[in-house]
Amino acid sequence: DDVRVTIGQSLFLRNVPTANLPHVFNALNAHHLAEPGANSLHKITACPGTDTCNLAISDSTHVTVALESVLRDEFPELVNDADIKIKISGCMNSCGQHGMAQIGFHGSSMRAKDRRVMPALQVLLGGGTIGDGEGRIADKVIKVPSKQGPNVLRSVLSDYEQNRTEGEYFNDYYDRQGKIYFYDLLKPLADIIDAPDNFFVDWGQESQFATEIGVGECAGVIIDLIGTLFLESDEKIEFAKEAFAEEKWADAIYHAYSSQVNTAKALLLDRDVKCNTQHKVITDMDDVYAAEFGGNVKEQILAIRINEPTKDFATDYIKTAVEFLVKAREVRA
């Protein structure tokens, strides 16, 4: 009854009864969505790159197709290896999360001796999540022509398979060998002295590569943050109403609380007030917006602390959240 898109760009189907799994598999398989290796090395995370984003330097989606072909054809034994993640961004903004990957790439460029510019990939190694809410940022190791991306993957994975100790995870192997070891391993692939003509054409393209900068759709884009926060407050109110309809009074009250905190945060950000905690958001509102709200916002929001999660309180609290959001939009306008 619930499908989500994960941070690794997989589809996550929740609450499927065991008896229904064959049917679900067959339905997915008919649409080529049931290949093995979910959440593994074989499934690469990538931003749209130059397909749709003008900030991107490289075509990260077509690079991904080339790399996944290498994995499928040459490293089928790693189809279920969840220790290694590959992530690709079209530029350094990291929408493809390249800095949090055991093997990461981001789009860049290189200039040959004849001054022509070729698409390139910055190679990063050793990043990822390590458990308990902690992570590590990948090291920038070397920059290579984009067309050498598949050879980078071949070199790194072959070296890892041949030289690791039994049961050694990739990042442990990376730490043991060190950044310079991998720089030396990949350095021959960075040589562009006699680069062939196809090195100056990016993956999935037919014309010669050229760097351009425009308005993007990703981490570098400028958005109306306040308006976006108001929309999130709307969404939280809808969650509250849905929970109320299911007679989940506590859930409904919590979502109404979240909406009010979110609305208050939006108003404070509109006046450049930094909001690091919910407590600061709630208390600062009465100081910053005393004239507009009469100094009653803190008491209004924290009513959740002194009332039992009953139907009557849920009704009033959701109504308060709705009215607060309406007034907030008026104040901002």
Side-chain angles (χ1 to χ4, degrees):
D1 62 1
D2 187 10
V3 182
R4 303 182 183 185
V5 180
T6 72
I7 195 170
Q9 297 174 335
S10 295
L11 294 180
F12 177 40
L13 283 69
R14 301 180 69 234
N15 306 327
V16 179
T18 303
N20 294 355
L21 287 175
H23 171 76
V24 172
F25 173 82
N26 290 330
L28 292 173
N29 197 43
H31 294 279
H32 309 290
L33 292 173
E35 294 181 7
N39 199 37
S40 79
L41 168 66
H42 276 228
K43 301 301 179 184
I44 298 175
T45 303
C47 76
T50 52
D51 280 353
T52 58
C53 182
N54 290 327
L55 283 175
I57 303 171
S58 296
D59 193 330
S60 47
T61 51
H62 281 87
V63 173
T64 297
V65 172
L67 296 183
E68 287 188 341
S69 294
V70 171
L71 294 170
R72 182 175 58 252
D73 298 339
E74 302 177 32
F75 298 92
E77 70 279 5
L78 298 178
V79 69
N80 292 316
D81 191 327
D83 167 49
I84 306 174
K85 298 292 191 302
I86 302 174
K87 301 178 185 288
I88 304 175
S89 303
C91 70
M92 66 291 299
N93 279 330
S94 199
C95 294
Q97 311 158 29
H98 60 260
M100 288 297 294
Q102 285 75 20
I103 302 175
F105 301 90
H106 79 66
S108 188
S109 62
M110 302 175 75
R111 190 176 296 276
K113 286 172 54 176
D114 61 5
R115 310 304 294 168
R116 283 189 297 168
V117 179
M118 70 175 65
L121 292 172
Q122 174 67 56
V123 181
L124 302 95
L125 299 173
T129 57
I130 56 179
D132 295 327
E134 297 184 8
R136 48 186 280 172
I137 304 299
D139 293 329
K140 289 186 175 181
V141 176
I142 197 169
K143 186 191 295 185
V144 302
S146 288
K147 288 297 175 69
Q148 292 283 33
N151 286 328
V152 168
L153 193 56
R154 289 186 183 98
S155 297
V156 171
L157 291 179
S158 295
D159 185 84
Y160 172 58
E161 285 194 319
Q162 293 169 13
N163 299 312
R164 67 172 174 172
T165 60
E166 184 176 355
E168 188 174 30
Y169 289 127
F170 180 84
N171 277 355
D172 294 332
Y173 178 69
Y174 173 76
D175 291 341
R176 178 164 65 85
Q177 298 287 34
K179 175 180 174 179
I180 299 303
Y181 173 88
F182 286 93
Y183 174 84
D184 292 338
L185 176 70
L186 300 175
K187 187 176 181 180
L189 300 178
D191 186 0
I192 58 172
I193 294 177
D194 297 314
D197 287 341
N198 72 319
F199 274 35
F200 295 89
V201 179
D202 203 1
W203 292 99
Q205 308 299 314
E206 297 180 355
S207 57
Q208 183 169 320
F209 175 79
T211 55
E212 297 178 0
I213 292 293
V215 177
E217 62 174 36
C218 57
V221 74
I222 297 174
I223 64 171
D224 178 6
L225 177 59
I226 313 305
T228 300
L229 288 172
F230 282 156
L231 289 175
E232 290 179 357
S233 295
D234 279 325
E235 183 180 49
K236 294 176 190 298
I237 288 172
E238 289 305 311
F239 290 159
K241 291 179 178 178
E242 290 173 6
F244 187 89
E246 297 174 2
E247 299 185 0
K248 297 178 180 177
W249 317 130
D251 288 355
I253 292 166
Y254 171 75
H255 290 307
Y257 165 82
S258 297
S259 174
Q260 291 180 78
V261 173
N262 205 68
T263 300
K265 178 179 179 180
L267 287 175
L268 291 171
L269 288 176
D270 198 38
R271 294 193 179 176
D272 296 324
V273 177
K274 292 184 179 180
C275 312
N276 298 321
T277 65
Q278 290 187 4
H279 176 74
K280 191 173 189 303
V281 169
I282 294 169
T283 54
D284 283 359
M285 270 295 297
D286 285 341
D287 294 331
V288 178
Y289 284 94
E292 293 84 351
F293 292 93
N296 297 319
V297 175
K298 181 177 180 180
E299 179 181 356
Q300 163 193 309
I301 296 178
L302 293 184
I304 190 175
R305 288 185 175 179
I306 58 176
N307 288 275
E308 293 296 320
T310 63
K311 179 180 179 180
D312 288 341
F313 177 63
T315 301
D316 293 339
Y317 202 57
I318 293 172
K319 181 182 177 183
T320 298
V322 172
E323 293 173 348
F324 183 45
L325 180 55
V326 171
K327 179 68 178 294
R329 284 190 162 115
E330 292 174 353
V331 167
R332 191 195 186 205

